[in-house]
Amino acid sequence: MSRSRSAVASRARRKKVVARAKGYQGRSSNNFRLAKQRTDKALQYAYRDRRTKKRSFRRLWIQRINAGARLHGLTYSQFMNGLSKAGVEIDRKVLSDLAITEPDSFKSLVEQAQAALASTA
């Protein structure tokens, strides 16, 4: 049986790694060993930061909601508690957008939350 060689597959694998490293500085963009190290690390960062992005956006939304609620005399936690007691189920992303773009709509939500808090107290 003849010996099979993997030159084509090896070259394709290396080309794929070097292509992924396009734009890196120095030898990292064309030296296979460095390109592999840099792309592996880049993929680790990308995986980690896809999750971190979700956390940081949630923190931003909470800050915006808190700022909007404090304009009307409530803290963030009181506002969210009032909304849950009022039966309003709007996620933080939408609430944050309302606080910025439509202050009147947000004010009506704050009033609903205050009414729900007053009725249970």
Side-chain angles (χ1 to χ4, degrees):
M1 189 171 180
S2 63
R3 176 176 167 268
S4 69
R5 292 175 293 185
S6 61
V8 174
S10 297
R11 191 175 309 112
R13 191 171 57 246
R14 289 186 197 115
K15 275 180 70 174
K16 190 167 74 174
V17 169
V18 171
R20 196 180 278 157
K22 184 179 178 182
Y24 291 4
Q25 287 190 337
R27 286 187 303 156
S28 302
S29 63
N30 50 26
N31 180 286
F32 173 70
R33 181 183 289 183
L34 283 175
K36 183 159 175 53
Q37 291 172 1
R38 300 294 194 272
T39 54
D40 285 350
K41 193 66 172 181
L43 290 172
Q44 287 174 4
Y45 285 141
Y47 178 83
R48 179 196 70 189
D49 292 338
R50 280 194 297 273
R51 279 132 193 88
T52 308
K53 183 168 84 171
K54 294 167 182 57
R55 282 180 237 146
S56 59
F57 267 107
R58 184 181 168 96
R59 286 176 60 194
L60 175 66
W61 297 332
I62 288 172
Q63 288 172 357
R64 288 176 175 174
I65 295 167
N66 191 20
R70 283 179 188 271
L71 289 174
H72 303 292
L74 286 179
T75 64
Y76 168 78
S77 62
Q78 291 169 338
F79 176 61
M80 295 306 280
N81 184 26
L83 284 183
S84 67
K85 286 182 178 175
V88 177
E89 294 184 10
I90 302 177
D91 64 354
R92 286 164 182 81
K93 181 179 180 179
V94 174
L95 281 172
S96 136
D97 189 50
L98 283 175
I100 294 169
T101 59
E102 298 182 34
D104 297 331
S105 304
F106 189 77
K107 186 173 191 246
S108 68
L109 286 172
V110 170
E111 289 166 358
Q112 285 181 357
Q114 285 173 331
L117 288 172
S119 66
T120 58

Short mmCIF file of all heavy atoms in Angstrom, two decimals, residues 47-77:
data_model
loop_
_atom_site.label_atom_id
_atom_site.label_comp_id
_atom_site.label_asym_id
_atom_site.label_seq_id
_atom_site.Cartn_x
_atom_site.Cartn_y
_atom_site.Cartn_z
N TYR A 47 -14.78 34.71 23.04
CA TYR A 47 -15.75 33.88 23.76
C TYR A 47 -16.10 34.52 25.10
O TYR A 47 -17.27 34.67 25.45
CB TYR A 47 -15.15 32.49 23.99
CG TYR A 47 -16.04 31.56 24.76
CD1 TYR A 47 -17.04 30.85 24.13
CD2 TYR A 47 -15.89 31.40 26.13
CE1 TYR A 47 -17.87 30.00 24.84
CE2 TYR A 47 -16.71 30.56 26.85
CZ TYR A 47 -17.70 29.85 26.20
OH TYR A 47 -18.52 29.03 26.91
N ARG A 48 -15.06 34.96 25.83
CA ARG A 48 -15.26 35.56 27.14
C ARG A 48 -16.07 36.85 27.03
O ARG A 48 -17.01 37.09 27.79
CB ARG A 48 -13.90 35.84 27.78
CG ARG A 48 -13.99 36.50 29.15
CD ARG A 48 -12.66 37.10 29.54
NE ARG A 48 -12.38 38.29 28.73
CZ ARG A 48 -11.22 38.93 28.73
NH1 ARG A 48 -10.22 38.49 29.46
NH2 ARG A 48 -11.04 40.00 27.98
N ASP A 49 -15.71 37.69 26.06
CA ASP A 49 -16.31 39.01 25.97
C ASP A 49 -17.72 39.01 25.39
O ASP A 49 -18.45 39.98 25.59
CB ASP A 49 -15.40 39.95 25.19
CG ASP A 49 -14.12 40.25 25.97
OD1 ASP A 49 -14.14 40.09 27.20
OD2 ASP A 49 -13.11 40.63 25.36
N ARG A 50 -18.10 37.93 24.70
CA ARG A 50 -19.51 37.84 24.30
C ARG A 50 -20.39 37.74 25.52
O ARG A 50 -21.52 38.23 25.53
CB ARG A 50 -19.73 36.64 23.37
CG ARG A 50 -19.34 36.88 21.95
CD ARG A 50 -19.89 35.81 21.02
NE ARG A 50 -19.38 34.48 21.29
CZ ARG A 50 -18.26 33.98 20.79
NH1 ARG A 50 -17.50 34.71 20.01
NH2 ARG A 50 -17.89 32.75 21.08
N ARG A 51 -19.89 37.12 26.57
CA ARG A 51 -20.65 37.02 27.81
C ARG A 51 -20.53 38.30 28.64
O ARG A 51 -21.49 38.74 29.27
CB ARG A 51 -20.16 35.82 28.63
CG ARG A 51 -20.78 34.55 28.12
CD ARG A 51 -19.82 33.42 27.90
NE ARG A 51 -20.47 32.36 27.14
CZ ARG A 51 -20.50 32.32 25.82
NH1 ARG A 51 -19.91 33.26 25.10
NH2 ARG A 51 -21.12 31.35 25.19
N THR A 52 -19.35 38.89 28.65
CA THR A 52 -19.13 40.14 29.39
C THR A 52 -19.99 41.27 28.83
O THR A 52 -20.47 42.12 29.58
CB THR A 52 -17.65 40.53 29.33
OG1 THR A 52 -16.86 39.42 29.73
CG2 THR A 52 -17.34 41.70 30.24
N LYS A 53 -20.18 41.26 27.51
CA LYS A 53 -20.99 42.31 26.88
C LYS A 53 -22.41 42.32 27.43
O LYS A 53 -22.98 43.38 27.69
CB LYS A 53 -21.00 42.10 25.36
CG LYS A 53 -21.74 43.18 24.60
CD LYS A 53 -21.49 43.08 23.12
CE LYS A 53 -22.40 42.09 22.46
NZ LYS A 53 -22.33 42.13 21.00
N LYS A 54 -22.97 41.14 27.66
CA LYS A 54 -24.33 41.05 28.20
C LYS A 54 -24.40 41.66 29.59
O LYS A 54 -25.34 42.38 29.93
CB LYS A 54 -24.77 39.59 28.23
CG LYS A 54 -24.94 38.98 26.85
CD LYS A 54 -25.08 37.48 26.94
CE LYS A 54 -25.21 36.82 25.58
NZ LYS A 54 -24.12 37.09 24.66
N ARG A 55 -23.36 41.38 30.40
CA ARG A 55 -23.32 41.94 31.75
C ARG A 55 -23.21 43.45 31.72
O ARG A 55 -23.89 44.15 32.46
CB ARG A 55 -22.10 41.39 32.51
CG ARG A 55 -22.29 40.01 33.04
CD ARG A 55 -21.04 39.57 33.77
NE ARG A 55 -20.55 38.35 33.16
CZ ARG A 55 -19.30 38.01 33.04
NH1 ARG A 55 -18.34 38.82 33.48
NH2 ARG A 55 -18.96 36.87 32.49
N SER A 56 -22.32 43.96 30.88
CA SER A 56 -22.08 45.40 30.88
C SER A 56 -23.29 46.17 30.35
O SER A 56 -23.60 47.27 30.83
CB SER A 56 -20.82 45.75 30.09
OG SER A 56 -20.93 45.32 28.77
N PHE A 57 -24.01 45.60 29.37
CA PHE A 57 -25.21 46.27 28.89
C PHE A 57 -26.29 46.29 29.97
O PHE A 57 -26.98 47.30 30.15
CB PHE A 57 -25.74 45.63 27.61
CG PHE A 57 -25.23 46.29 26.37
CD1 PHE A 57 -24.28 45.68 25.59
CD2 PHE A 57 -25.68 47.54 26.00
CE1 PHE A 57 -23.78 46.30 24.45
CE2 PHE A 57 -25.21 48.17 24.86
CZ PHE A 57 -24.26 47.54 24.10
N ARG A 58 -26.43 45.19 30.70
CA ARG A 58 -27.43 45.17 31.78
C ARG A 58 -27.10 46.24 32.83
O ARG A 58 -28.00 46.93 33.31
CB ARG A 58 -27.48 43.78 32.42
CG ARG A 58 -28.56 43.66 33.48
CD ARG A 58 -28.54 42.28 34.11
NE ARG A 58 -29.36 42.21 35.29
CZ ARG A 58 -30.61 41.78 35.31
NH1 ARG A 58 -31.19 41.38 34.22
NH2 ARG A 58 -31.28 41.74 36.44
N ARG A 59 -25.81 46.39 33.18
CA ARG A 59 -25.41 47.43 34.13
C ARG A 59 -25.76 48.82 33.61
O ARG A 59 -26.23 49.68 34.36
CB ARG A 59 -23.91 47.34 34.40
CG ARG A 59 -23.53 46.18 35.29
CD ARG A 59 -22.04 46.07 35.46
NE ARG A 59 -21.50 47.29 36.06
CZ ARG A 59 -20.22 47.60 36.08
NH1 ARG A 59 -19.33 46.81 35.55
NH2 ARG A 59 -19.81 48.71 36.65
N LEU A 60 -25.54 49.05 32.31
CA LEU A 60 -25.85 50.34 31.71
C LEU A 60 -27.35 50.62 31.77
O LEU A 60 -27.78 51.73 32.12
CB LEU A 60 -25.36 50.37 30.26
CG LEU A 60 -25.71 51.61 29.45
CD1 LEU A 60 -24.98 52.82 30.01
CD2 LEU A 60 -25.36 51.41 27.99
N TRP A 61 -28.16 49.60 31.43
CA TRP A 61 -29.61 49.78 31.47
C TRP A 61 -30.08 50.12 32.88
O TRP A 61 -30.93 50.99 33.08
CB TRP A 61 -30.31 48.53 30.97
CG TRP A 61 -30.02 48.19 29.55
CD1 TRP A 61 -29.68 49.05 28.54
CD2 TRP A 61 -30.01 46.89 28.97
NE1 TRP A 61 -29.47 48.35 27.38
CE2 TRP A 61 -29.66 47.03 27.60
CE3 TRP A 61 -30.26 45.62 29.45
CZ2 TRP A 61 -29.57 45.95 26.74
CZ3 TRP A 61 -30.16 44.54 28.59
CH2 TRP A 61 -29.83 44.71 27.26
N ILE A 62 -29.51 49.43 33.87
CA ILE A 62 -29.92 49.67 35.26
C ILE A 62 -29.56 51.09 35.67
O ILE A 62 -30.35 51.78 36.34
CB ILE A 62 -29.29 48.62 36.19
CG1 ILE A 62 -29.98 47.27 35.96
CG2 ILE A 62 -29.39 49.03 37.65
CD1 ILE A 62 -29.34 46.10 36.67
N GLN A 63 -28.39 51.58 35.26
CA GLN A 63 -28.00 52.95 35.60
C GLN A 63 -28.95 53.96 34.98
O GLN A 63 -29.34 54.95 35.61
CB GLN A 63 -26.57 53.22 35.11
CG GLN A 63 -25.50 52.52 35.91
CD GLN A 63 -24.14 52.66 35.28
OE1 GLN A 63 -23.98 53.23 34.21
NE2 GLN A 63 -23.13 52.12 35.96
N ARG A 64 -29.34 53.72 33.74
CA ARG A 64 -30.26 54.64 33.06
C ARG A 64 -31.64 54.64 33.71
O ARG A 64 -32.26 55.70 33.88
CB ARG A 64 -30.38 54.27 31.58
CG ARG A 64 -29.13 54.60 30.80
CD ARG A 64 -29.26 54.13 29.37
NE ARG A 64 -28.12 54.54 28.56
CZ ARG A 64 -27.93 54.16 27.32
NH1 ARG A 64 -28.79 53.35 26.74
NH2 ARG A 64 -26.88 54.58 26.65
N ILE A 65 -32.12 53.45 34.06
CA ILE A 65 -33.44 53.35 34.71
C ILE A 65 -33.40 54.04 36.07
O ILE A 65 -34.33 54.77 36.45
CB ILE A 65 -33.86 51.87 34.87
CG1 ILE A 65 -34.07 51.23 33.50
CG2 ILE A 65 -35.11 51.75 35.71
CD1 ILE A 65 -34.17 49.72 33.54
N ASN A 66 -32.31 53.83 36.80
CA ASN A 66 -32.15 54.46 38.11
C ASN A 66 -32.17 55.98 37.99
O ASN A 66 -32.84 56.67 38.76
CB ASN A 66 -30.85 53.98 38.75
CG ASN A 66 -30.73 54.37 40.20
OD1 ASN A 66 -31.71 54.68 40.86
ND2 ASN A 66 -29.52 54.37 40.71
N ALA A 67 -31.44 56.50 37.00
CA ALA A 67 -31.41 57.95 36.80
C ALA A 67 -32.80 58.48 36.48
O ALA A 67 -33.23 59.52 37.01
CB ALA A 67 -30.44 58.31 35.69
N GLY A 68 -33.53 57.78 35.61
CA GLY A 68 -34.88 58.20 35.25
C GLY A 68 -35.84 58.13 36.42
O GLY A 68 -36.68 59.02 36.62
N ALA A 69 -35.72 57.09 37.23
CA ALA A 69 -36.63 56.92 38.38
C ALA A 69 -36.34 57.96 39.44
O ALA A 69 -37.27 58.49 40.08
CB ALA A 69 -36.47 55.52 38.96
N ARG A 70 -35.08 58.30 39.64
CA ARG A 70 -34.72 59.28 40.68
C ARG A 70 -35.22 60.69 40.32
O ARG A 70 -35.46 61.49 41.22
CB ARG A 70 -33.21 59.30 40.91
CG ARG A 70 -32.75 58.13 41.75
CD ARG A 70 -31.26 58.12 41.96
NE ARG A 70 -30.83 56.90 42.61
CZ ARG A 70 -30.76 56.73 43.93
NH1 ARG A 70 -31.09 57.72 44.74
NH2 ARG A 70 -30.36 55.60 44.45
N LEU A 71 -35.41 60.96 39.03
CA LEU A 71 -35.99 62.25 38.64
C LEU A 71 -37.42 62.39 39.17
O LEU A 71 -37.92 63.50 39.37
CB LEU A 71 -35.99 62.39 37.12
CG LEU A 71 -34.64 62.60 36.45
CD1 LEU A 71 -34.80 62.59 34.94
CD2 LEU A 71 -34.02 63.90 36.90
N HIS A 72 -38.06 61.24 39.40
CA HIS A 72 -39.45 61.25 39.86
C HIS A 72 -39.58 60.81 41.32
O HIS A 72 -40.67 60.47 41.79
CB HIS A 72 -40.30 60.36 38.96
CG HIS A 72 -40.25 60.76 37.53
ND1 HIS A 72 -40.80 61.93 37.06
CD2 HIS A 72 -39.67 60.18 36.45
CE1 HIS A 72 -40.59 62.04 35.75
NE2 HIS A 72 -39.89 61.00 35.36
N GLY A 73 -38.45 60.77 42.05
CA GLY A 73 -38.50 60.52 43.49
C GLY A 73 -38.49 59.07 43.92
O GLY A 73 -38.85 58.77 45.05
N LEU A 74 -38.08 58.16 43.05
CA LEU A 74 -37.97 56.74 43.42
C LEU A 74 -36.54 56.26 43.16
O LEU A 74 -35.86 56.77 42.29
CB LEU A 74 -38.91 55.87 42.57
CG LEU A 74 -40.39 55.89 42.86
CD1 LEU A 74 -41.13 54.99 41.89
CD2 LEU A 74 -40.68 55.45 44.28
N THR A 75 -36.13 55.26 43.94
CA THR A 75 -34.86 54.61 43.62
C THR A 75 -35.14 53.48 42.62
O THR A 75 -36.30 53.12 42.38
CB THR A 75 -34.21 54.01 44.88
OG1 THR A 75 -35.05 52.99 45.39
CG2 THR A 75 -33.95 55.08 45.92
N TYR A 76 -34.07 52.93 42.09
CA TYR A 76 -34.21 51.84 41.12
C TYR A 76 -34.97 50.66 41.73
O TYR A 76 -35.91 50.13 41.13
CB TYR A 76 -32.83 51.40 40.62
CG TYR A 76 -32.85 50.12 39.84
CD1 TYR A 76 -33.27 50.10 38.51
CD2 TYR A 76 -32.47 48.92 40.42
CE1 TYR A 76 -33.30 48.92 37.79
CE2 TYR A 76 -32.50 47.74 39.70
CZ TYR A 76 -32.91 47.75 38.40
OH TYR A 76 -32.95 46.57 37.69
N SER A 77 -34.56 50.26 42.93
CA SER A 77 -35.17 49.07 43.54
C SER A 77 -36.64 49.31 43.86
O SER A 77 -37.48 48.42 43.67
CB SER A 77 -34.40 48.64 44.78
OG SER A 77 -34.44 49.64 45.75
#
